[in-house]
Amino acid sequence: MDDQVSLISQLCYLNLRDLKRIASKLSHELKVQLVHSNILSFIDYCNASYGGLTQKNIHRLQKCQNNAVRFIFHLTGKKKWENITPYLKKLHFLPVQYRIKYKISLLVFKCLNNLAPDYL
């Protein structure tokens, strides 16, 4: 699982670096949309299998998400050290550990209520 988290972190930071190059030309709404499609989609991909992930790896994924939020709100310089939680709330982003728990809970709910695909 360490290799998977390393690859996801690497892809997120590469995409974020590319987005920062064009950040001055993007509106706030477009930044949010690009972060959803280019960063959070990687973090959320197969996140139901992250149920037994170590805190170290969850922290690595959380750092990717935090940096994406800093990109959206242009938090640099002294603002870089501000608490990120209010910004996560403004965007309605769950922290990574809760995203994982939500996905697992949703799959269990669907299985119990016969809403899941046949292979589950």
Side-chain angles (χ1 to χ4, degrees), residues 33-44:
Q33 193 172 17
L34 287 170
V35 164
H36 267 288
S37 63
N38 291 315
I39 308 298
L40 296 181
S41 62
F42 285 117
I43 293 173
D44 287 341

Side-chain angles (χ1 to χ4, degrees), residues 57-102:
N57 286 331
I58 289 176
H59 183 67
R60 289 173 68 188
L61 293 174
Q62 185 64 51
K63 284 193 324 188
C64 293
Q65 186 182 32
N66 291 349
N67 283 327
V69 171
R70 285 188 182 95
F71 162 74
I72 291 171
F73 287 103
H74 193 66
L75 299 175
T76 57
K78 290 183 179 179
K79 290 183 180 180
K80 182 179 179 181
W81 303 109
E82 284 185 27
N83 188 3
I84 202 78
T85 306
Y87 297 103
L88 286 170
K89 287 182 180 179
K90 281 182 189 177
L91 294 170
H92 301 286
F93 286 0
L94 283 173
V96 172
Q97 66 183 6
Y98 296 116
R99 292 174 89 88
I100 295 168
K101 288 179 183 179
Y102 173 77

Side-chain angles (χ1 to χ4, degrees), residues 11-23 26 38-39 71:
L11 287 172
C12 288
Y13 284 120
L14 287 173
N15 284 340
L16 201 55
R17 184 191 67 192
D18 292 341
L19 288 175
K20 285 180 182 179
R21 292 179 181 164
I22 59 170
L26 302 174
N38 291 315
I39 308 298
F71 162 74

